Amino acid sequence: MNSSRSHVKNKKMHYIILVVVFLCGVVTSSTIYLEEYKHIRTVQKEAGIHFTEKLHDGLSQYALELSSIASLIQSSKEDITPDHFTRYLQNLSTQLNAGFYFAQYVPADKKIEYETSQKRLLKDESFAISPEGERASYLALALGYPDKLSYGYDLLAPEYRYADLIRRVRTSLDYILSEPTHISLPGWKSRTSTDTFILRAPIYLPLDARSYKLTDKFGFHGIVGSYFRIDDLLMQIGLLKNSDLSYRIADVSEEGESIWFTSSSFEESGWVDGKYDTQIIHFSGREWRIDTRSSEGVNDLVHWNTVIWPLVLFAFMALFLFFYTQKISAAYYFALNLLNKRIETDDLTGLASRYQVQKLLTELIEKTNAEDGTIATLVLDLDHFKTINDAFGHEVGDKLLVKVGQRLNSVLPEEAVIGYLGGDAFVVLLASGHEHDIPHLDILAKEVIQQISQSYFVDGRVLNIGCSIGVAMYPEFGKDAVTLIKNADMAVYKAKTLGRATYHFYDGVMGKQFARNVRIETRLRQALSDGEFELHFQPKVDIVTERCVGMEALLRWEDAELGTVSPAEFIPIAEQTGIILALGEWVFEQAFRHIVEWQEQGISVPPIAVNCSAAQLKRVDFLPNLLVLLDKYKIDPGLLEIEVTESILIEDAEGCAELLRQISRLGIKLAIDDFGTGYSSLSYLKDLPFDYIKIDQVFIRDITEDRNHAALTHAIIVLSHNLHLKVIAEGITNVDQLIMLQEFGCDIGQGYLFSKALGANSMGTDPMIVALNEKDCPE
């Protein structure tokens, strides 16, 4: 009884397994069918996009040929004969099934002279401009290929149906494509179908060429044109024979009007909304609509064997469970091997992955080391790629990356290893059996930048992007793959700081400086938390009375690891990393604290000047924080001066002006620091509440030897006095400088001639500070 029940249970279990596995087969087959459907539709859409891109490229080829003809005519110092014109076009392009012509501009007063020269050039005594009649100017057909045109026919004649369009082309300064037509130029065979197009462009000559060629007063010399049939264009680019794709093309340049001029099928029933894809081409003033669809239905293209086979396979799983388990295991290892292969190739671009690049670079290093050769590692970083990603989405960005990779393959030598590092960065490896030629790399880098910067056609959009390149050479600047790529990446960062769209070679100085900058940044944060900074104070002296009229707070840093670090070195790094904000708050706090301490010691404190960075002034809480400090330490605002650089006034003149006015109303004095080294614009001095101008020490240093520096310094002092501003001269080191500044009427001096910057404790103990304090520090 129990045995019977167990048998039934086992039998039912087999049925359950059969049903479950069969349902899994149904789900799998359905999923494969849906993926097949999506894949086919994607392929169909991509085929339409490819069709459109090829069509656009074909039109561009006509424009390129036309541009070449225009260049020939512009550069030729003599009239071009029809035979020369024909030979030139035969050599230029044997692939384009199109006609070309040139119509010569002839002013009325040069008509007879032109006809005479053409009779001689064409060896045809019957040549004359036609139709007959006197006009202000003529546009006579002068050259044609391959059709025998009516030489001398005037395209500006009222009888010519496109005379108005010709006049518009004359003033367009660009290519203009005609609408679909069946009539072209005089001498052509008329057609009933509107499948012919004319691409026209004006020719203007430079000033030096107008003396020996016919032009109007603007340099207009004539019009070049190219005429072609749409079927010839499609055949040229290999699209006419594509039986798998049905298409139709219309000119939709005029609003509300569509002129259908070609189609691969005359069955309108197939063109139902939702069953075809539409692309738009904008070219030379015309807009074309391209509809594409597959010649076969989606279900006709589905690989039914692929869809049905899983269902059959799952049906046999119940009978061959053990065998199927083994097969799954084999499939697992197959997938694992496939994954290892995919690690070597980037899925998106098809280029070598970062892992594969490092592997190949390591192999190249070993090979090159044995041959005593060199390797150039180039890192290419696209400029402003994030803008395209943000504007059009990551899908468009990914497609653009694919096209960039394809273009790199077409530009670089075959032996180059090209990889994708991720993001918007690519890498190129070039090995040489001898010492690498740097000028050759210069040329290659320029060529790559130029080619990458050309336009891309992605999803119906024309996208433009540039790139910057960093180069690291083996073995000089890297003995292993990681170091070479890191150094090349460092060089590309330098190229971007130089203005982008350029290249830069890594050198040892760059690496040392970068490492030191990174170390300074790390130590800056630690020094701020550990209180390693100090404020020193340098006296500002009245040049006439030599009395102390103020002090400037100067930041000093003595690091346990780096030693003494100059403000000129760590301040820019602090500004780049944002540490300057916390550092600036610390400086203000310390300056106020020292003022209170000096006053408690009975010292008469002169006004203290504090330098303020652009980042501090841009913060919305700058003024509120300043007011909090004034209230906290009970400091008279008159004891504080704020020095700002010129650059902040240029970056945000309006916002900065209002902030400075509010600061001035508190009684705080304002000074422009390092005047003369930046924009040196005096336009804002009359509108902003500045009290002082500080002339940079680079002018003062050579004031006695350099007449130009002396003249500029004198001019700044005179103009500042006229604007009721006092002038402070920095960096005075000798008596001759002092005497000259006294003669110029400078108000205040600062420099080693009077005193170096001293620690805060020297305010009450240093003899010079005490003496200056006794002379002039205000009560």
Side-chain angles (χ1 to χ4, degrees), residues 465-537:
I465 197 166
C467 78
S468 302
I469 299 178
V471 186
M473 300 296 298
Y474 170 86
E476 187 177 5
F477 298 115
K479 301 292 186 180
D480 58 84
V482 174
T483 303
L484 281 170
I485 294 175
K486 180 195 70 174
N487 291 342
D489 193 60
M490 202 181 303
V492 82
Y493 174 80
K494 180 67 175 179
K496 285 184 175 291
T497 62
L498 294 176
R500 302 179 188 270
T502 186
Y503 60 92
H504 192 79
F505 284 82
Y506 176 87
D507 55 44
V509 175
M510 183 191 305
K512 293 178 181 178
Q513 186 60 52
F514 183 83
R516 178 169 174 81
N517 289 348
V518 172
R519 191 61 186 156
I520 288 176
E521 178 185 349
T522 303
R523 296 298 301 168
L524 266 175
R525 301 180 188 277
Q526 187 66 34
L528 190 59
S529 63
D530 293 346
E532 294 182 0
F533 293 100
E534 290 185 8
L535 278 187
H536 284 204
F537 299 86

Side-chain angles (χ1 to χ4, degrees), residues 50-59 61-62 95-96 230-241:
H50 177 71
F51 180 94
T52 304
E53 291 176 345
K54 293 281 285 183
L55 185 60
H56 186 274
D57 291 343
L59 291 171
Q61 185 64 29
Y62 285 125
Q95 301 297 323
L96 296 181
I230 188 64
D231 285 350
D232 292 335
L233 172 59
L234 295 176
M235 181 175 294
Q236 168 211 329
I237 58 181
L239 299 177
L240 195 63
K241 299 179 180 180

